Amino acid sequence: MSSEAFVLFKTKTSHEQSVYIALRDNPLVTETHALYGEYDLIARVSAENQKDLSKLLLSQFRKIEGVKETQTLIAVDY
């Protein structure tokens, strides 16, 4: 069963586009959108399992230059 999450990003000033491109080029990111408001970007991510999702969230996203803060919303099924 695949795992999905939505990740909100706050970026450092003038890094919005480079973070957007890094997210868009990640194969586990299925959607990326620029936002107006408190957060600069949102990404929808999908992984084969919870372990791969955690690895993406904890290691890959934190290494993107220009990311200041993230908030992750993990999707669940009823």
Side-chain angles (χ1 to χ4, degrees):
M1 177 180 220
S2 68
S3 297
E4 273 197 328
F6 295 87
V7 185
L8 295 159
F9 291 84
K10 288 184 182 180
T11 63
K12 295 177 183 174
T13 304
S14 75
H15 282 81
E16 298 88 355
Q17 187 175 20
S18 62
V19 173
Y20 178 94
I21 291 168
L23 293 170
R24 182 195 65 196
D25 291 345
N26 187 306
L28 296 180
V29 176
T30 58
E31 290 181 52
T32 307
H33 301 277
L35 304 172
Y36 290 115
E38 184 178 350
Y39 290 91
D40 301 305
L41 302 165
I42 187 169
R44 181 179 185 171
V45 297
S46 183
E48 282 190 34
N49 55 55
Q50 196 70 29
K51 185 176 179 180
D52 289 346
L53 182 62
S54 294
K55 183 178 176 183
L56 172 70
L57 299 172
L58 295 174
S59 62
Q60 292 183 35
F61 283 170
R62 291 184 180 185
K63 292 181 181 178
I64 297 173
E65 177 66 33
V67 172
K68 183 167 53 172
E69 182 181 322
T70 64
Q71 182 172 352
T72 302
L73 308 165
I74 296 177
V76 296
D77 289 325
Y78 286 109

